[in-house]
Amino acid sequence: MVRSVDVHKRFGRLEVLRGVSMEVARGEVVVIIGASGSGKTTFLRCINHLERVDAGRIYVDGELVGYREKNGRLVEDREREVARKRAAIGMVFQRFNLFPHLTALGNVIEAPIRVKKVPRKEAEETGRERLAKVGLADKLSAYPAQLSGGQQQRVAIARALAMEPKLMLFDEPTSALDPELVGEVLDVMKSLAREGMTMIVVSHEMGFAREVADRIVFMDEGVILEEGPPEELFLRPSQPRTQAFLSKIL
């Protein structure tokens, strides 16, 4: 579903990604861990072209994201084509980014109506289903200010699912939540994993990673230093840097 090939990204003189190559199979759940500043979020944002790569290529479901090949070199895609590909990739951020003037249902149906031109009645029916899926069937008419942080994040997940994505990206989706609200968001993500959704998750929730991930990827200073199944990477990390990182958080 996802293939990145030697991806580099700079911000000024700072090289944040230094040749990231990774493949994610259809239906696989990959959790990316690592210290702050290791490039995890930047890599996630490159996958759906929220950040432009400086070198390398990223494919989602066999299609180049953000670029097209012309005479053997990469040319940035037209915005309409970027939007078409991005519509198939759901992304949930640390902050919920809900429209404060729209209800929960209004937030969920906005993109299907505006981007995919889904008729309002059909969008509302699907929106209700998605909100019920994340346990918010009774909050259709609630505004973000009337919802807890965990509920707002679940609305954000329902909003991403309403676009019927083939891939879900989660950027530390529980980091802005009070500890007692983390579980309700992780439960929704576990449910998606059980249903076979392809997911790439940047997270510090090691219990979730151990339980749900098919593979853990450890990033450090812009490179993938080590990866493997949870039981292998958590119990027998081969790299000293991985060992040092895990010793502080497990």
Side-chain angles (χ1 to χ4, degrees):
M1 179 61 76
V2 180
R3 182 164 68 96
S4 72
V5 183
D6 197 28
V7 170
H8 291 253
K9 174 64 183 176
R10 288 180 175 274
F11 293 105
R13 293 184 176 181
L14 180 63
E15 191 171 20
V16 180
L17 299 177
R18 300 187 296 126
V20 177
S21 296
M22 183 173 79
E23 293 189 0
V24 179
R26 194 178 307 275
E28 189 177 17
V29 178
V30 173
V31 175
I32 303 177
I33 64 173
S36 296
S38 59
K40 309 183 302 294
T41 291
T42 298
F43 177 60
L44 216 59
R45 291 172 62 85
C46 286
I47 291 174
N48 66 355
H49 203 57
L50 288 175
E51 298 288 355
R52 294 170 171 83
V53 303
D54 293 317
R57 303 176 185 214
I58 298 176
Y59 300 85
V60 173
D61 202 17
E63 287 191 297
L64 261 176
V65 175
Y67 301 90
R68 66 185 190 279
E69 291 200 41
K70 186 175 181 180
N71 299 326
R73 63 188 186 91
L74 291 186
V75 178
E76 191 158 12
D77 245 340
R78 301 177 186 88
E79 187 56 41
R80 178 181 293 183
E81 191 64 13
V82 172
R84 179 187 70 80
K85 294 175 183 176
R86 190 181 284 148
I89 305 170
M91 185 158 185
V92 178
F93 301 86
Q94 296 179 35
R95 296 289 171 181
F96 323 123
N97 297 326
L98 299 179
F99 296 115
H101 63 290
L102 296 179
T103 63
L105 182 59
N107 269 280
V108 172
I109 68 175
E110 183 77 358
I113 290 174
R114 288 183 177 271
V115 178
K116 298 183 79 172
K117 309 303 181 187
V118 175
R120 174 170 289 273
K121 186 175 181 181
E122 181 183 334
E124 288 181 348
E125 184 177 330
T126 302
R128 291 190 188 95
E129 292 174 1
R130 297 298 182 265
L131 285 166
K133 185 183 185 71
V134 300
L136 294 174
D138 59 338
K139 299 293 184 182
L140 301 181
S141 301
Y143 288 88
Q146 299 170 313
L147 300 172
S148 71
Q151 290 170 332
Q152 289 185 60
Q153 192 62 297
R154 284 188 281 155
V155 172
I157 294 173
R159 179 178 60 182
L161 293 175
M163 292 293 284
E164 299 182 342
K166 59 182 72 172
L167 167 69
M168 284 288 287
L169 308 175
F170 292 88
D171 182 19
E172 297 191 26
T174 60
S175 64
L177 301 178
D178 292 333
E180 65 268 24
L181 301 177
V182 168
E184 63 191 54
V185 173
L186 294 181
D187 284 344
V188 171
M189 294 170 65
K190 290 174 186 176
S191 174
L192 290 176
R194 286 193 296 269
E195 292 170 8
M197 174 64 75
T198 309
M199 297 163 56
I200 305 177
V201 183
V202 170
S203 181
H204 293 296
E205 298 291 338
M206 296 301 144
F208 168 82
R210 192 188 297 268
E211 180 182 348
V212 178
D214 297 301
R215 184 159 41 108
I216 307 292
V217 171
F218 177 67
M219 287 188 68
D220 188 57
E221 297 186 349
V223 299
I224 293 176
L225 204 59
E226 186 170 1
E227 59 183 295
E231 62 275 13
E232 182 180 308
L233 192 130
F234 285 141
L235 296 178
R236 295 179 296 278
S238 62
Q239 298 294 322
R241 178 69 187 98
T242 316
Q243 295 167 9
F245 175 79
L246 292 175
S247 71
K248 295 175 182 176
I249 61 171
L250 291 181

